Each structure stands twice: as C-alpha cells, then as structure tokens.
Amino acid sequence: MKIALIIISLCFSATTLACECLWQGPFKTVYTETDLVVFGEVERGKGNGFDLNIKEIIQGDEYREQIRIWGNKDNLCRPEAKDFLPGSQWIMALHRIDKPPEDAFNPFKADVSFGRQDDFSLSSCGVYWLPVKEDRVSGNILDGSRWQYVDAKKTPIIMAVFKAWLQKLLPDEALAEAARPQSQGRQLLNETKIFLWEDQRNLLPEPEQSQEAEFGPVRPNLGSGLEAEWPEDEAFDPTEKSENDSNEAK
C-alpha cells in the first residue's frame, strides 16, 4: 500500500511540474515572433545554461559576440541544455529575458537558473532551433507533425539555399523541393544545380530595403554578402589624419 502511494505521489509531482504549452509550429511560423535569430556554435554548457558564440545575426540586434542561453528548469517549456553539446552549431530563434522573477537566480546554485536580465531563453513549444552540420541545415523549417523538431526523412538544406529563402530570394516551394527525400543520384543533381545557382547568384535581384533591415548587423563574415564594409577593428574615423596630410601640413 505504501509503495502504491509513493508511485501515485511521484506521478502527481511529475504531472504538476510538466510543461504545458500549445504547439507553435515549424521554424517558419515561430522565428519572426522572436527577439533574436542567430547562427552560432556552442562554446560550453553548465547546469541548465550554455554559451553560444554568434557567427551571424539573422534577425534582431545584439552587440555581444557570445550570449548565455537558458534551457529547461522545473516546469519551464524549454529544451534540456545538455542536448546542445560544445562544438555543435545551430540556427536559434531566441527570446530575450526581460524582468526575470525575483527567485530567478539562486546564489547557492548559480548554474541552475531561470536566467539573468538580457540573457536568452529557448522555447520547446515549436521548432525554435535547427541543427547545422557540414554547412547544411536540418529540422522542420516549413512543416512537420506536432511536437516533431526534426524529420529524418528530409534532406538537410545547404546553408546558401536556407539564407536565400530567409532573404525571400527563394520561395517556400524551392526549399521544400530541396528538403525532399532524395536518392544518391538525385542528390548529386541537386547539388550541381545549387553550384550553378551560386555561380550566377549576382544575377538574382537584391532584397528590398525593408527586408535587408530585418536582418540587422552581421558578424563575423560567412560569405553571405551582407557584411559591413569596414571591419570593426578598422572602423573609419573621419577625424584621423593620414601621414600624407601631416607632411603637407608641415
């Protein structure tokens, strides 16, 4: 009898602590509603958080090159931080933590937290993250079954194609075709088409100004064609005089 009561108690506790949220859908549906979308690589993880080195900012604004992202704790609807291993690369759609609750941080258990002000959280209520491996993006970008983050039957998307879709240079149909399960021969043909497309990419129309602004600053250079003209460490200073100017002045 006591054993039965213990089991019932444990089940009840698990239920009360379980995350409850509505499924928000694939990446296409959720990423536009977040504060920051980035391509980055996990540096380290501890507790329910991990640090992400930003390789490129896709949407939003962030001045830091490394950000702290917080995962699951108690009944928060977030993925497990341990699933994002150091060295792994991801496209992530993140929510900025603003005004965390008073009990968000425990000084005696600093590595387990709701998150600090201006850190970021990752939701598990939709496809808010896409794994990237060998310059290819996986995950349910356009569609997928409820609570399904990755469909193993789909072909990973070449990063250049994914970026072109984000910039509205390619329609959903083209991305869906690229993700369709392919035989080895068809995959080779598809990669050949992508190579030819990239070779003639300068013939494609440029995104409208409003779409370009949506992407915000880009750092560092990934060869995306969106980089700033002046590197950050060589920023142009109009007040700085050149050596020739100084000689002429003399």
Side-chain angles (χ1 to χ4, degrees):
M1 183 66 179
K2 289 183 178 180
I3 295 177
L5 289 175
I6 292 174
I7 294 175
I8 293 173
S9 176
L10 289 174
C11 291
F12 180 78
S13 299
T15 302
T16 56
L17 293 177
C19 158
E20 294 184 4
C21 66
L22 296 175
W23 180 246
Q24 301 300 314
F27 182 81
K28 176 187 175 181
T29 305
V30 301
Y31 87 92
T32 56
E33 303 300 323
T34 56
D35 300 307
L36 185 70
V37 182
V38 296
F39 167 46
E41 181 174 318
V42 177
E43 174 71 20
R44 67 181 68 84
K46 189 175 183 181
N48 70 317
F50 59 91
D51 293 331
L52 187 78
N53 292 329
I54 297 177
K55 289 179 171 290
E56 181 175 358
I57 294 178
I58 298 173
Q59 173 184 287
D61 188 22
E62 176 56 51
Y63 66 90
R64 294 168 295 184
E65 295 182 355
Q66 185 180 94
I67 55 176
R68 176 70 53 84
I69 300 172
W70 296 93
N72 189 37
K73 174 184 178 292
D74 299 333
N75 62 341
L76 298 175
C77 293
R78 302 176 184 173
E80 297 292 336
K82 61 182 178 60
D83 294 336
F84 301 92
L85 300 176
S88 60
Q89 297 183 345
W90 306 84
I91 301 287
M92 290 187 172
L94 305 165
H95 291 100
R96 191 182 301 272
I97 296 176
D98 187 28
K99 297 180 180 179
E102 294 182 1
D103 60 347
F105 179 74
N106 183 351
F108 300 102
K109 208 171 184 180
D111 58 339
V112 178
S113 170
F114 176 91
R116 306 167 301 184
Q117 178 72 34
D118 292 327
D119 281 347
F120 292 89
S121 66
L122 187 62
S123 172
S124 61
C125 300
V127 184
Y128 286 86
W129 65 91
L130 300 169
V132 179
K133 189 174 182 180
E134 298 179 353
D135 208 35
R136 294 172 183 266
V137 184
S138 302
N140 288 334
I141 302 173
L142 298 175
D143 54 21
S145 302
R146 185 174 296 183
W147 303 106
Q148 184 186 45
Y149 299 91
V150 178
D151 186 350
K153 296 180 180 180
K154 292 181 179 178
T155 301
I157 304 295
I158 296 174
M159 179 69 83
V161 175
F162 178 75
K163 288 181 179 180
W165 171 75
L166 283 173
Q167 298 173 42
K168 314 301 182 186
L169 297 177
L170 288 178
D172 291 355
E173 293 76 14
L175 197 70
E177 174 64 20
R180 199 157 61 87
Q182 300 174 7
S183 63
Q184 186 174 0
R186 182 176 176 81
Q187 184 174 353
L188 180 61
L189 178 61
N190 185 59
E191 291 181 356
T192 302
K193 290 180 179 179
I194 296 302
F195 173 78
L196 294 174
W197 172 78
E198 286 185 301
D199 193 45
Q200 301 179 10
R201 192 174 180 183
N202 60 323
L203 300 178
L204 291 172
E206 293 294 330
E208 296 180 2
Q209 182 64 32
S210 60
Q211 294 169 345
E212 289 181 344
E214 183 183 7
F215 280 76
V218 176
R219 358 172 154 75
N221 180 10
L222 287 179
S224 62
L226 300 175
E227 297 79 6
E229 183 177 355
W230 290 90
E232 293 182 3
D233 56 347
E234 299 180 9
F236 175 70
D237 185 357
T239 63
E240 184 179 355
K241 294 184 177 180
S242 66
E243 185 176 345
N244 293 335
D245 294 338
S246 299
N247 294 333
E248 291 177 5
K250 292 179 182 180

Short mmCIF file of all heavy atoms in Angstrom, two decimals, residues 46-93:
data_model
loop_
_atom_site.label_atom_id
_atom_site.label_comp_id
_atom_site.label_asym_id
_atom_site.label_seq_id
_atom_site.Cartn_x
_atom_site.Cartn_y
_atom_site.Cartn_z
N LYS A 46 26.76 24.45 -18.75
CA LYS A 46 26.81 24.12 -17.33
C LYS A 46 25.42 24.30 -16.74
O LYS A 46 24.77 25.31 -16.98
CB LYS A 46 27.82 25.01 -16.59
CG LYS A 46 28.07 24.58 -15.15
CD LYS A 46 29.18 25.42 -14.52
CE LYS A 46 29.47 24.94 -13.10
NZ LYS A 46 30.53 25.75 -12.45
N GLY A 47 24.99 23.32 -15.96
CA GLY A 47 23.66 23.40 -15.38
C GLY A 47 22.61 23.39 -16.47
O GLY A 47 22.62 22.54 -17.35
N ASN A 48 21.69 24.34 -16.40
CA ASN A 48 20.65 24.42 -17.44
C ASN A 48 20.89 25.57 -18.41
O ASN A 48 19.97 26.07 -19.05
CB ASN A 48 19.26 24.58 -16.79
CG ASN A 48 19.06 25.94 -16.16
OD1 ASN A 48 19.96 26.46 -15.49
ND2 ASN A 48 17.90 26.52 -16.34
N GLY A 49 22.16 25.96 -18.54
CA GLY A 49 22.50 27.02 -19.47
C GLY A 49 23.70 26.66 -20.33
O GLY A 49 24.45 25.73 -20.02
N PHE A 50 23.88 27.40 -21.42
CA PHE A 50 25.06 27.21 -22.25
C PHE A 50 25.38 28.52 -22.96
O PHE A 50 24.52 29.38 -23.15
CB PHE A 50 24.86 26.08 -23.27
CG PHE A 50 23.70 26.25 -24.21
CD1 PHE A 50 23.86 26.88 -25.45
CD2 PHE A 50 22.44 25.80 -23.87
CE1 PHE A 50 22.79 27.04 -26.31
CE2 PHE A 50 21.35 25.95 -24.72
CZ PHE A 50 21.53 26.57 -25.95
N ASP A 51 26.66 28.67 -23.33
CA ASP A 51 27.13 29.87 -24.01
C ASP A 51 27.23 29.60 -25.51
O ASP A 51 27.78 28.58 -25.93
CB ASP A 51 28.49 30.30 -23.48
CG ASP A 51 28.41 30.78 -22.03
OD1 ASP A 51 27.34 31.29 -21.65
OD2 ASP A 51 29.41 30.63 -21.30
N LEU A 52 26.73 30.54 -26.30
CA LEU A 52 26.72 30.41 -27.76
C LEU A 52 27.56 31.53 -28.37
O LEU A 52 27.31 32.70 -28.11
CB LEU A 52 25.29 30.48 -28.29
CG LEU A 52 25.12 30.20 -29.79
CD1 LEU A 52 25.19 28.70 -30.05
CD2 LEU A 52 23.79 30.77 -30.30
N ASN A 53 28.56 31.15 -29.17
CA ASN A 53 29.33 32.13 -29.93
C ASN A 53 28.58 32.46 -31.21
O ASN A 53 28.31 31.57 -32.02
CB ASN A 53 30.72 31.58 -30.26
CG ASN A 53 31.59 31.42 -29.03
OD1 ASN A 53 31.47 32.18 -28.07
ND2 ASN A 53 32.47 30.43 -29.04
N ILE A 54 28.26 33.73 -31.40
CA ILE A 54 27.49 34.15 -32.56
C ILE A 54 28.38 34.22 -33.80
O ILE A 54 29.39 34.92 -33.80
CB ILE A 54 26.81 35.50 -32.31
CG1 ILE A 54 25.81 35.39 -31.16
CG2 ILE A 54 26.13 36.01 -33.58
CD1 ILE A 54 25.15 36.71 -30.80
N LYS A 55 27.99 33.50 -34.84
CA LYS A 55 28.68 33.57 -36.11
C LYS A 55 27.99 34.56 -37.05
O LYS A 55 28.64 35.23 -37.85
CB LYS A 55 28.74 32.19 -36.78
CG LYS A 55 29.67 31.19 -36.09
CD LYS A 55 29.64 29.86 -36.79
CE LYS A 55 30.71 28.93 -36.26
NZ LYS A 55 32.07 29.36 -36.63
N GLU A 56 26.67 34.64 -36.94
CA GLU A 56 25.91 35.56 -37.79
C GLU A 56 24.58 35.89 -37.13
O GLU A 56 23.91 35.01 -36.59
CB GLU A 56 25.67 34.95 -39.16
CG GLU A 56 24.92 35.87 -40.11
CD GLU A 56 24.80 35.30 -41.51
OE1 GLU A 56 25.33 34.20 -41.76
OE2 GLU A 56 24.16 35.96 -42.35
N ILE A 57 24.22 37.16 -37.18
CA ILE A 57 22.91 37.59 -36.72
C ILE A 57 21.97 37.64 -37.92
O ILE A 57 22.23 38.33 -38.91
CB ILE A 57 22.97 38.97 -36.05
CG1 ILE A 57 23.78 38.88 -34.75
CG2 ILE A 57 21.57 39.50 -35.76
CD1 ILE A 57 23.93 40.21 -34.03
N ILE A 58 20.90 36.88 -37.85
CA ILE A 58 19.94 36.78 -38.95
C ILE A 58 18.80 37.77 -38.76
O ILE A 58 18.34 38.41 -39.71
CB ILE A 58 19.39 35.34 -39.05
CG1 ILE A 58 20.54 34.38 -39.37
CG2 ILE A 58 18.28 35.25 -40.10
CD1 ILE A 58 20.15 32.92 -39.31
N GLN A 59 18.35 37.89 -37.51
CA GLN A 59 17.24 38.82 -37.22
C GLN A 59 17.43 39.36 -35.81
O GLN A 59 17.81 38.64 -34.90
CB GLN A 59 15.91 38.06 -37.30
CG GLN A 59 14.70 38.88 -36.84
CD GLN A 59 13.43 38.05 -36.86
OE1 GLN A 59 12.90 37.74 -37.92
NE2 GLN A 59 12.95 37.64 -35.68
N GLY A 60 17.16 40.65 -35.64
CA GLY A 60 17.29 41.25 -34.33
C GLY A 60 18.59 42.01 -34.19
O GLY A 60 19.33 42.23 -35.16
N ASP A 61 18.90 42.41 -32.96
CA ASP A 61 20.07 43.24 -32.68
C ASP A 61 20.76 42.74 -31.43
O ASP A 61 20.11 42.54 -30.39
CB ASP A 61 19.64 44.70 -32.53
CG ASP A 61 20.83 45.64 -32.45
OD1 ASP A 61 21.91 45.25 -32.91
OD2 ASP A 61 20.67 46.75 -31.91
N GLU A 62 22.06 42.51 -31.49
CA GLU A 62 22.83 42.07 -30.35
C GLU A 62 24.29 42.47 -30.55
O GLU A 62 24.88 42.18 -31.60
CB GLU A 62 22.72 40.55 -30.17
CG GLU A 62 23.55 39.96 -29.06
CD GLU A 62 23.27 40.60 -27.71
OE1 GLU A 62 22.08 40.69 -27.32
OE2 GLU A 62 24.25 41.03 -27.06
N TYR A 63 24.87 43.17 -29.57
CA TYR A 63 26.24 43.66 -29.71
C TYR A 63 27.27 42.66 -29.20
O TYR A 63 28.46 42.75 -29.54
CB TYR A 63 26.40 44.99 -28.96
CG TYR A 63 26.25 44.85 -27.46
CD1 TYR A 63 27.36 44.60 -26.64
CD2 TYR A 63 25.00 44.97 -26.84
CE1 TYR A 63 27.23 44.46 -25.27
CE2 TYR A 63 24.87 44.83 -25.48
CZ TYR A 63 25.97 44.58 -24.70
OH TYR A 63 25.84 44.44 -23.34
N ARG A 64 26.86 41.70 -28.39
CA ARG A 64 27.81 40.73 -27.83
C ARG A 64 28.11 39.62 -28.83
O ARG A 64 27.24 39.19 -29.57
CB ARG A 64 27.25 40.13 -26.54
CG ARG A 64 27.10 41.14 -25.40
CD ARG A 64 26.28 40.57 -24.26
NE ARG A 64 24.89 40.32 -24.67
CZ ARG A 64 23.95 39.89 -23.83
NH1 ARG A 64 24.25 39.63 -22.57
NH2 ARG A 64 22.72 39.70 -24.26
N GLU A 65 29.35 39.15 -28.81
CA GLU A 65 29.74 38.05 -29.68
C GLU A 65 29.41 36.69 -29.05
O GLU A 65 29.36 35.68 -29.75
CB GLU A 65 31.24 38.12 -30.00
CG GLU A 65 31.62 39.35 -30.82
CD GLU A 65 33.10 39.38 -31.16
OE1 GLU A 65 33.84 38.48 -30.69
OE2 GLU A 65 33.50 40.28 -31.90
N GLN A 66 29.20 36.67 -27.74
CA GLN A 66 28.81 35.45 -27.05
C GLN A 66 27.63 35.75 -26.12
O GLN A 66 27.63 36.75 -25.42
CB GLN A 66 29.97 34.89 -26.23
CG GLN A 66 29.67 33.55 -25.57
CD GLN A 66 30.85 33.02 -24.76
OE1 GLN A 66 30.94 33.24 -23.56
NE2 GLN A 66 31.76 32.31 -25.42
N ILE A 67 26.62 34.88 -26.15
CA ILE A 67 25.43 35.09 -25.32
C ILE A 67 25.16 33.84 -24.49
O ILE A 67 25.57 32.73 -24.84
CB ILE A 67 24.19 35.41 -26.19
CG1 ILE A 67 23.96 34.31 -27.24
CG2 ILE A 67 24.33 36.77 -26.85
CD1 ILE A 67 22.70 34.51 -28.07
N ARG A 68 24.48 34.03 -23.37
CA ARG A 68 24.10 32.92 -22.49
C ARG A 68 22.63 32.56 -22.76
O ARG A 68 21.76 33.42 -22.78
CB ARG A 68 24.27 33.34 -21.02
CG ARG A 68 23.83 32.31 -19.99
CD ARG A 68 24.72 31.10 -19.93
NE ARG A 68 26.12 31.41 -19.76
CZ ARG A 68 26.70 31.65 -18.56
NH1 ARG A 68 25.97 31.63 -17.46
NH2 ARG A 68 27.99 31.91 -18.48
N ILE A 69 22.40 31.28 -23.01
CA ILE A 69 21.06 30.78 -23.30
C ILE A 69 20.67 29.79 -22.21
O ILE A 69 21.46 28.91 -21.83
CB ILE A 69 21.01 30.09 -24.68
CG1 ILE A 69 21.42 31.09 -25.77
CG2 ILE A 69 19.62 29.54 -24.97
CD1 ILE A 69 21.59 30.47 -27.14
N TRP A 70 19.45 29.92 -21.70
CA TRP A 70 18.98 29.08 -20.61
C TRP A 70 17.91 28.11 -21.09
O TRP A 70 17.00 28.48 -21.84
CB TRP A 70 18.42 29.95 -19.48
CG TRP A 70 19.47 30.82 -18.86
CD1 TRP A 70 19.77 32.10 -19.21
CD2 TRP A 70 20.37 30.46 -17.82
NE1 TRP A 70 20.80 32.58 -18.44
CE2 TRP A 70 21.19 31.60 -17.56
CE3 TRP A 70 20.56 29.32 -17.04
CZ2 TRP A 70 22.19 31.59 -16.60
CZ3 TRP A 70 21.55 29.31 -16.08
CH2 TRP A 70 22.36 30.44 -15.86
N GLY A 71 18.06 26.85 -20.65
CA GLY A 71 17.14 25.79 -21.03
C GLY A 71 16.18 25.43 -19.92
O GLY A 71 15.82 26.25 -19.08
N ASN A 72 15.78 24.17 -19.89
CA ASN A 72 14.71 23.70 -19.00
C ASN A 72 15.08 23.79 -17.52
O ASN A 72 16.21 23.51 -17.12
CB ASN A 72 14.37 22.26 -19.36
CG ASN A 72 13.12 21.79 -18.63
OD1 ASN A 72 12.19 22.55 -18.43
ND2 ASN A 72 13.12 20.53 -18.22
N LYS A 73 14.09 24.18 -16.73
CA LYS A 73 14.19 24.20 -15.27
C LYS A 73 12.77 24.13 -14.72
O LYS A 73 11.91 24.91 -15.10
CB LYS A 73 14.87 25.48 -14.78
CG LYS A 73 14.88 25.65 -13.26
CD LYS A 73 15.48 27.00 -12.89
CE LYS A 73 15.45 27.23 -11.39
NZ LYS A 73 14.06 27.40 -10.88
N ASP A 74 12.52 23.15 -13.83
CA ASP A 74 11.19 22.96 -13.26
C ASP A 74 10.17 22.76 -14.36
O ASP A 74 10.29 21.85 -15.17
CB ASP A 74 10.84 24.15 -12.34
CG ASP A 74 11.81 24.28 -11.17
OD1 ASP A 74 12.38 23.24 -10.77
OD2 ASP A 74 12.00 25.40 -10.68
N ASN A 75 9.16 23.62 -14.41
CA ASN A 75 8.10 23.45 -15.41
C ASN A 75 8.20 24.44 -16.57
O ASN A 75 7.23 24.71 -17.26
CB ASN A 75 6.73 23.61 -14.73
CG ASN A 75 6.54 25.00 -14.14
OD1 ASN A 75 7.51 25.71 -13.91
ND2 ASN A 75 5.30 25.37 -13.88
N LEU A 76 9.39 24.99 -16.79
CA LEU A 76 9.58 25.90 -17.93
C LEU A 76 9.55 25.12 -19.23
O LEU A 76 10.10 24.03 -19.32
CB LEU A 76 10.93 26.63 -17.80
CG LEU A 76 11.09 27.54 -16.58
CD1 LEU A 76 12.51 28.10 -16.54
CD2 LEU A 76 10.08 28.67 -16.61
N CYS A 77 8.91 25.67 -20.23
CA CYS A 77 8.79 24.98 -21.53
C CYS A 77 10.03 25.28 -22.38
O CYS A 77 9.99 26.06 -23.34
CB CYS A 77 7.51 25.43 -22.24
SG CYS A 77 6.01 24.90 -21.40
N ARG A 78 11.12 24.63 -22.01
CA ARG A 78 12.38 24.81 -22.69
C ARG A 78 13.06 23.45 -22.88
O ARG A 78 12.80 22.52 -22.12
CB ARG A 78 13.31 25.71 -21.88
CG ARG A 78 12.77 27.10 -21.57
CD ARG A 78 13.75 27.84 -20.67
NE ARG A 78 13.26 29.14 -20.25
CZ ARG A 78 13.90 29.90 -19.36
NH1 ARG A 78 15.04 29.46 -18.81
NH2 ARG A 78 13.40 31.07 -19.01
N PRO A 79 13.93 23.31 -23.89
CA PRO A 79 14.65 22.05 -24.07
C PRO A 79 15.74 21.88 -23.02
O PRO A 79 16.12 22.84 -22.33
CB PRO A 79 15.25 22.20 -25.47
CG PRO A 79 15.43 23.67 -25.63
CD PRO A 79 14.27 24.31 -24.92
N GLU A 80 16.27 20.68 -22.91
CA GLU A 80 17.36 20.40 -21.98
C GLU A 80 18.65 21.00 -22.52
O GLU A 80 19.04 20.77 -23.68
CB GLU A 80 17.53 18.90 -21.78
CG GLU A 80 16.32 18.21 -21.15
CD GLU A 80 16.11 18.64 -19.70
OE1 GLU A 80 17.10 19.08 -19.06
OE2 GLU A 80 14.96 18.55 -19.22
N ALA A 81 19.34 21.77 -21.70
CA ALA A 81 20.58 22.43 -22.14
C ALA A 81 21.66 21.41 -22.51
O ALA A 81 22.48 21.68 -23.38
CB ALA A 81 21.08 23.36 -21.04
N LYS A 82 21.63 20.24 -21.86
CA LYS A 82 22.67 19.23 -22.13
C LYS A 82 22.59 18.68 -23.55
O LYS A 82 23.54 18.02 -24.01
CB LYS A 82 22.55 18.09 -21.11
CG LYS A 82 21.22 17.35 -21.14
CD LYS A 82 21.19 16.27 -20.08
CE LYS A 82 19.85 15.54 -20.04
NZ LYS A 82 19.52 14.87 -21.30
N ASP A 83 21.48 18.91 -24.23
CA ASP A 83 21.35 18.42 -25.61
C ASP A 83 22.13 19.27 -26.61
O ASP A 83 22.29 18.86 -27.77
CB ASP A 83 19.87 18.40 -26.02
CG ASP A 83 19.07 17.37 -25.23
OD1 ASP A 83 19.68 16.42 -24.72
OD2 ASP A 83 17.84 17.54 -25.12
N PHE A 84 22.61 20.44 -26.17
CA PHE A 84 23.36 21.33 -27.05
C PHE A 84 24.84 21.26 -26.66
O PHE A 84 25.33 22.01 -25.84
CB PHE A 84 22.81 22.75 -26.94
CG PHE A 84 21.35 22.83 -27.30
CD1 PHE A 84 20.36 22.71 -26.32
CD2 PHE A 84 20.95 22.99 -28.61
CE1 PHE A 84 19.01 22.75 -26.64
CE2 PHE A 84 19.61 23.04 -28.95
CZ PHE A 84 18.63 22.91 -27.96
N LEU A 85 25.53 20.31 -27.29
CA LEU A 85 26.89 19.98 -26.91
C LEU A 85 27.90 21.02 -27.39
O LEU A 85 27.69 21.65 -28.45
CB LEU A 85 27.27 18.61 -27.49
CG LEU A 85 26.40 17.43 -27.04
CD1 LEU A 85 26.83 16.16 -27.77
CD2 LEU A 85 26.49 17.23 -25.53
N PRO A 86 28.99 21.22 -26.65
CA PRO A 86 30.05 22.13 -27.12
C PRO A 86 30.56 21.73 -28.50
O PRO A 86 30.79 20.55 -28.78
CB PRO A 86 31.13 21.96 -26.04
CG PRO A 86 30.39 21.55 -24.82
CD PRO A 86 29.26 20.68 -25.31
N GLY A 87 30.72 22.70 -29.37
CA GLY A 87 31.18 22.46 -30.72
C GLY A 87 30.05 22.29 -31.73
O GLY A 87 30.29 22.38 -32.94
N SER A 88 28.83 22.04 -31.26
CA SER A 88 27.70 21.89 -32.17
C SER A 88 27.24 23.26 -32.66
O SER A 88 27.36 24.27 -31.96
CB SER A 88 26.54 21.15 -31.49
OG SER A 88 26.09 21.86 -30.34
N GLN A 89 26.71 23.30 -33.88
CA GLN A 89 26.27 24.55 -34.50
C GLN A 89 24.77 24.53 -34.72
O GLN A 89 24.19 23.49 -35.03
CB GLN A 89 27.00 24.77 -35.83
CG GLN A 89 28.50 24.93 -35.67
CD GLN A 89 29.21 25.21 -36.99
OE1 GLN A 89 28.63 25.03 -38.07
NE2 GLN A 89 30.44 25.68 -36.92
N TRP A 90 24.15 25.72 -34.58
CA TRP A 90 22.70 25.80 -34.61
C TRP A 90 22.23 27.13 -35.21
O TRP A 90 22.90 28.15 -35.09
CB TRP A 90 22.12 25.71 -33.19
CG TRP A 90 22.58 24.51 -32.43
CD1 TRP A 90 23.75 24.38 -31.72
CD2 TRP A 90 21.90 23.25 -32.33
NE1 TRP A 90 23.82 23.12 -31.18
CE2 TRP A 90 22.71 22.41 -31.53
CE3 TRP A 90 20.69 22.76 -32.82
CZ2 TRP A 90 22.34 21.11 -31.22
CZ3 TRP A 90 20.31 21.47 -32.52
CH2 TRP A 90 21.14 20.65 -31.73
N ILE A 91 21.04 27.07 -35.82
CA ILE A 91 20.24 28.27 -36.07
C ILE A 91 19.24 28.31 -34.91
O ILE A 91 18.51 27.34 -34.67
CB ILE A 91 19.46 28.18 -37.40
CG1 ILE A 91 20.41 28.01 -38.58
CG2 ILE A 91 18.57 29.40 -37.58
CD1 ILE A 91 21.20 29.23 -38.95
N MET A 92 19.20 29.43 -34.17
CA MET A 92 18.33 29.52 -32.99
C MET A 92 17.48 30.78 -33.04
O MET A 92 17.98 31.87 -33.33
CB MET A 92 19.15 29.50 -31.70
CG MET A 92 19.78 28.16 -31.40
SD MET A 92 20.56 28.14 -29.76
CE MET A 92 20.96 26.40 -29.63
N ALA A 93 16.19 30.61 -32.73
CA ALA A 93 15.27 31.74 -32.58
C ALA A 93 15.02 31.90 -31.08
O ALA A 93 14.44 31.02 -30.45
CB ALA A 93 13.97 31.46 -33.33
#
